[in-house]
Amino acid sequence: MLSFIIKRVAQSVLVLLVVGLIAFAMFRYVGDPLDAMVSIEASVEEVERVREQLGLDQPFFVQYVRFLQGAVQGDFGISYRQGEPVLDIILARLPATMELAAISGTFAISMGIVLGVFTAIRRDGFASSLIMSLSLVGVSLPTFLIGILLIYLFSVELDWLPSFGRGELTDIGLWETGLLTTSGLKALILPSITLGLYQMTLIMRLVRSEMLEVLRQDYVRFARARGLSDRAVNFRHALRNTLVPVITVTGLQLGAIIAFAIVTETVFQWPGVGLLFINAIQFVDIPVMAAYLMFIAVMFVAINLLVDILYVAVDPRLRNQETSV
């Protein structure tokens, strides 16, 4: 088990190094940073002096190593647009994105598994057919359109929920949260449903298909022949054996929730790192763009590493294979 984790961590570090190279190349070659930092009236001597201060006169490899050293320490430079350290800007926006991702992920996983099990067990019922038909909406409609439709229905027509912002926030030290206020909770409902709906329908369909496949297996029929209750058969035997593929997709979808919160945050003007990235693109704020790319890479790598470890914990066959290698 320990050797398995060490190998996965080594692979994760390699992925981060490659992503760091891509982020640095974008930082280094997508335009000259001095164009946004130095006045057009500056002399050549002043431009070269600033270039030397930033280390941009050094060879590519030297700059890349310095970029990695800074990234490890959380130093991604200064934002061209705001003139503040990029890490401080991201940390100020991070709570909004993490709260939105956490609520959306909880909604997607819980509802996806519950509805997937229900539609598998009651596959011939009217409610199951209705749920499967409605799930096509979450799969086929783009995220921004779902968000606009929800805003029109619940904000414009019914005036039940806010259409933008985080609502009233509570300062709990290093974190400003909206989970402790009524307006903050209301503000979370529409964007979290918008962001998690696609993932929820995907997980639901996967759980249903895997559950139906497992319920056809001989050991499930044998369990029923032994007189076990439907609840024991469905949840202790069938559901448990669907977890490996479900864990795979769920892990990837949790990473996708954070990575693709950009669209949802833009539609609802949610003040997270996704909206920050969109603004950085508009103003060619390359340090912020590079830091966001590294942040997303770290999240995906961490989630995939956790998924790999859960594989071994859930499936004894994989644990035995890793032990024998």
Side-chain angles (χ1 to χ4, degrees), residues 77-86 89 285 288:
I78 304 297
S79 169
Y80 296 164
R81 180 190 176 196
Q82 303 183 38
E84 299 177 4
V86 173
I89 298 174
D285 198 345
V288 174

Side-chain angles (χ1 to χ4, degrees), residues 110-311:
S110 59
M111 293 300 297
I113 292 178
V114 170
L115 293 178
V117 172
F118 176 80
T119 53
I121 296 175
R122 309 292 185 187
R123 58 184 178 276
D124 296 325
F126 173 77
S128 176
S129 300
L130 180 61
I131 292 173
M132 293 303 297
S133 299
L134 292 177
S135 69
L136 294 175
V137 176
V139 175
S140 58
L141 290 182
T143 301
F144 74 90
L145 183 57
I146 294 176
I148 293 174
L149 292 176
L150 291 178
I151 289 175
Y152 177 76
L153 178 60
F154 293 101
S155 298
V156 178
E157 292 294 330
L158 300 176
D159 196 22
W160 288 355
L161 299 170
S163 60
F164 66 93
R166 294 184 67 191
E168 184 181 355
L169 302 179
T170 301
D171 191 353
I172 55 175
L174 299 177
W175 196 280
E176 284 190 339
T177 179
L179 298 177
L180 303 179
T181 63
T182 302
S183 62
L185 291 174
K186 286 184 177 180
L188 264 170
I189 295 176
L190 293 185
S192 60
I193 293 176
T194 301
L195 184 58
L197 186 60
Y198 174 78
Q199 283 75 19
M200 186 270 287
T201 53
L202 187 64
I203 293 173
M204 181 194 74
R205 287 177 168 272
L206 176 64
V207 170
R208 181 180 185 273
S209 63
E210 292 293 331
M211 192 87 170
L212 291 175
E213 183 67 26
V214 171
L215 288 174
R216 299 189 186 99
Q217 300 298 317
D218 292 337
Y219 68 86
V220 174
R221 296 175 181 173
F222 179 72
R224 294 187 188 278
R226 288 172 53 198
L228 295 180
S229 64
D230 289 341
R231 182 175 182 179
V233 172
N234 293 331
F235 293 97
R236 187 184 306 170
H237 295 278
L239 181 59
R240 183 176 181 180
N241 285 279
T242 67
L243 288 180
V244 171
V246 171
I247 287 174
T248 306
V249 175
T250 300
L252 294 176
Q253 293 308 309
L254 288 178
I257 284 177
I258 299 176
F260 302 118
I262 297 174
V263 177
T264 302
E265 291 186 3
T266 303
V267 171
F268 291 92
Q269 288 299 292
W270 190 263
V273 292
L275 185 60
L276 175 67
F277 179 69
I278 293 296
N279 294 332
I281 294 176
Q282 293 175 349
F283 290 91
V284 199
D285 198 345
I286 299 176
V288 174
M289 296 164 61
Y292 178 82
L293 180 60
M294 290 297 297
F295 167 71
I296 295 301
V298 170
M299 294 302 300
F300 264 106
V301 166
I303 291 174
N304 286 333
L305 178 61
L306 179 61
V307 167
D308 288 340
I309 295 175
L310 288 176
Y311 271 172

